[in-house]
Amino acid sequence: MSERHIHMAGAVVERHIIRGGEANERDVFEYALLRVVPRAERGECINAGVLLYCRAKAYVGARTHLDEARLLALDPQADVAGIRAALGAVERVCGGGEAAGQAAGEDAGRRFRWLVAPRSTVVRPGPVHTGLTADPAAETERLLDLLVR
């Protein structure tokens, strides 16, 4: 069963409703956008990635996409290489293993919580939101397409 809702922006969103006794193959996930704030004093930002955590699947992942033209429109002096490096570091921490550096030994949940902790850097996380998914990796890609690209 589903309901259709129209958001203020005019987009139609379908929301699935689970009734008691129905099988549900979807798991709860949390996600946050990665935002680039090139000039903190102006408060302007662009979305440059998505972090997603699904406890049931022990999944934490990040997908990034930096639109250089939009970034340079906000700040022509932005350090594009440095921002790309920071976004790459987030992806490596999510991936775990040796590439994650000090976070390599942490479980997926701890890595996600560390990445979404508030910070005042050029690349920073937005608020955490939740949803349901059967495939966290595909959901990460879907959110990147919907909210970043």
Side-chain angles (χ1 to χ4, degrees), residues 127-146:
V128 175
H129 305 282
T130 61
L132 294 172
T133 187
D135 184 348
E139 190 68 28
T140 306
E141 189 67 35
R142 184 188 78 79
L143 289 170
L144 183 75
D145 287 339
L146 180 68

Side-chain angles (χ1 to χ4, degrees), residues 6-29:
I6 300 176
H7 286 283
M8 289 176 60
V12 176
V13 176
E14 194 166 294
R15 188 176 74 168
H16 300 281
I17 300 170
I18 309 292
R19 302 280 184 228
E22 290 182 11
N24 182 14
E25 298 174 5
R26 298 182 300 162
D27 296 305
V28 173
F29 72 90

Side-chain angles (χ1 to χ4, degrees), residues 58 60 93-97 100-112 114:
V60 64
V93 168
C94 285
Q102 223 174 348
E106 301 294 341
D107 64 34
R110 284 182 182 240
R111 290 195 315 271
F112 178 76
W114 181 76

Side-chain angles (χ1 to χ4, degrees), residues 79-98:
D79 179 6
V80 175
I83 292 167
R84 283 198 186 285
L87 292 170
V90 170
E91 290 192 54
R92 287 190 300 279
V93 168
C94 285
E98 288 182 29

Side-chain angles (χ1 to χ4, degrees), residues 1-98:
M1 174 177 243
S2 65
E3 290 181 354
R4 288 184 161 230
H5 296 274
I6 300 176
H7 286 283
M8 289 176 60
V12 176
V13 176
E14 194 166 294
R15 188 176 74 168
H16 300 281
I17 300 170
I18 309 292
R19 302 280 184 228
E22 290 182 11
N24 182 14
E25 298 174 5
R26 298 182 300 162
D27 296 305
V28 173
F29 72 90
E30 299 172 69
Y31 76 95
L33 290 171
L34 288 173
R35 296 177 174 161
V36 176
V37 183
R39 293 177 58 192
E41 70 276 10
R42 292 185 59 140
E44 300 167 330
C45 68
I46 63 167
N47 295 338
V50 176
L51 295 166
L52 190 137
Y53 170 59
C54 180
R55 181 178 177 197
K57 304 267 193 223
Y59 173 88
V60 64
R63 294 281 292 126
T64 62
H65 172 80
L66 182 61
D67 185 333
E68 285 187 37
R70 290 178 69 201
L71 173 62
L72 294 173
L74 291 180
D75 181 6
Q77 309 305 313
D79 179 6
V80 175
I83 292 167
R84 283 198 186 285
L87 292 170
V90 170
E91 290 192 54
R92 287 190 300 279
V93 168
C94 285
E98 288 182 29

